[in-house]
């Protein structure tokens, strides 16, 4: 069974702090994703990575950056947090198939509160 | 409305009844997927239906896809209290690796 592990379930930070959210998958998946989930807005893609050191911006990358130094690990970085970044953050991974998107496997999420 | 929009937003039924939720999307797709999310947890993949398929079954789940109407439905038969969750459809965006999720249907199954 695929396991996607996010480093924290709950996190409380103050505005202006730098935050690292870590995600590790154990199935050698090429693709990894970071989403945020807000009530009424569904899941919105922040960043996507299809290989080590490769990344693509999603729909809402502003205020975020990512790092993928190893295939199994995908980190989301909030350089200087603001209250509007309070949200549930979800990491996911999937295998790569050129012709179509494959099922994603999600971690349990990190509920981040910025005070 | 955004791609992959679910309907209804919320549904409350008695245990043993069937639950039907619908998803509409806007652009052409390669496949459509349904996910479940229990409260406070991540999403779990339920079923994938390809654009050339019309119906797919998995246990108590039945998914249909009508590409002419750009819509899909998820039927859960003989529902159980454990089916209480939010259900999301996700479509791929042809030519990209992005998945587009809807805002979900909140299903409550009463014992």
């Amino acid at each position: 069974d695929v396991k996607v592990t996010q480093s924290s379930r709950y996190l409380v930070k103050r505005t202006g702090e730098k935050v690292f959210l870590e995600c590790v998958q154990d199935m050698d998946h090429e693709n990894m994703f970071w989403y945020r989930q807000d009530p009424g807005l569904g899941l919105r893609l922040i960043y996507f990575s299809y290989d080590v050191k490769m990344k693509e911006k999603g729909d809402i990358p502003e205020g975020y950056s990512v790092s993928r130094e190893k295939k199994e690990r995908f980190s989301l970085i909030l350089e200087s947090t603001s209250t509007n970044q309070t949200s549930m953050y979800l990491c996911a991974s999937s295998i790569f198939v050129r012709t179509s998107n494959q099922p994603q496997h999600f971690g349990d999420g990190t509920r981040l509160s910025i005070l | 409305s955004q791609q992959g929009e679910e309907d209804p937003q919320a549904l409350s039924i008695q245990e043993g009844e069937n639950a039907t939720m619908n998803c509409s999307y806007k652009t052409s797709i390669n496949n459509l997927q349904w996910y479940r999310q229990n409260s406070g947890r991540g999403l779990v993949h339920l079923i994938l239906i390809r654009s050339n398929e019309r119906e797919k079954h998995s246990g108590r789940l039945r998914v249909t896809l009508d590409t002419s109407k750009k819509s899909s439905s998820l039927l859960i038969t003989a529902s159980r209290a454990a089916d209480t969750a939010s259900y999301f459809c996700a479509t791929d965006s042809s030519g990209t690796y992005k998945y587009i999720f809807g805002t979900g249907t909140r299903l409550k199954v009463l014992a």
Side-chain angles (χ1 to χ4, degrees), chain A residues 5 11 14 22 31 36 38-39 44-45 53 60 62-63 76 94 100 104:
Chain A
T5 303
L11 215 48
R14 298 207 174 272
E22 307 283 347
N31 296 341
R36 63 177 282 177
D38 300 288
R44 293 181 291 167
L45 181 66
K53 297 191 189 295
I60 51 164
E62 296 78 21
L76 180 69
S94 73
S100 67
Q104 291 190 305

Side-chain angles (χ1 to χ4, degrees), chain A residues 48-66:
Chain A
F48 156 63
S49 170
Y50 52 92
D51 201 351
V52 174
K53 297 191 189 295
M54 306 304 287
K55 61 187 179 187
E56 277 193 21
K57 291 180 180 179
D59 298 317
I60 51 164
E62 296 78 21
Y64 304 93
S65 62
V66 290

Side-chain angles (χ1 to χ4, degrees), chain B residues 6-12 20-23 87 104-107:
Chain B
E6 290 89 347
D7 167 58
Q9 290 188 341
L11 182 60
S12 188
T20 300
M21 48 207 95
N22 305 295
C23 168
Y87 292 83
T105 291
R106 291 187 314 279
L107 173 66

Side-chain angles (χ1 to χ4, degrees), chain A residues 44-106:
Chain A
R44 293 181 291 167
L45 181 66
I46 305 172
Y47 266 98
F48 156 63
S49 170
Y50 52 92
D51 201 351
V52 174
K53 297 191 189 295
M54 306 304 287
K55 61 187 179 187
E56 277 193 21
K57 291 180 180 179
D59 298 317
I60 51 164
E62 296 78 21
Y64 304 93
S65 62
V66 290
S67 171
R68 193 159 179 207
E69 296 296 318
K70 293 185 177 181
K71 192 174 185 181
E72 68 270 19
R73 187 179 296 269
F74 192 34
S75 302
L76 180 69
I77 304 153
L78 292 73
E79 291 287 344
S80 178
T81 51
S82 59
T83 54
N84 63 13
Q85 292 179 309
T86 291
S87 187
M88 170 74 114
Y89 289 87
L90 291 164
C91 174
S93 72
S94 73
I95 62 169
F96 169 73
V97 173
R98 185 173 297 281
T99 52
S100 67
N101 291 359
Q102 298 303 300
Q104 291 190 305
H105 301 266
F106 283 82

Side-chain angles (χ1 to χ4, degrees), chain B residues 8-70:
Chain B
Q9 290 188 341
L11 182 60
S12 188
I13 60 174
Q14 295 291 326
E15 207 166 29
E17 293 181 341
N18 295 342
T20 300
M21 48 207 95
N22 305 295
C23 168
S24 60
Y25 58 92
K26 290 184 172 179
T27 62
S28 62
I29 60 172
N30 292 311
N31 64 55
L32 184 144
Q33 304 175 31
W34 283 92
Y35 290 79
R36 183 188 76 231
Q37 184 180 34
N38 290 95
S39 180
R41 306 299 294 270
L43 279 71
V44 174
H45 180 260
L46 295 176
I47 197 164
L48 180 154
I49 186 164
R50 293 184 173 79
S51 59
N52 61 355
E53 297 175 311
R54 291 296 166 257
E55 189 169 311
K56 202 158 181 183
H57 297 254
S58 176
R60 294 184 296 112
L61 305 180
R62 173 178 168 249
V63 168
T64 60
L65 179 64
D66 186 334
T67 52
S68 67
K69 294 181 179 177
K70 292 187 169 59

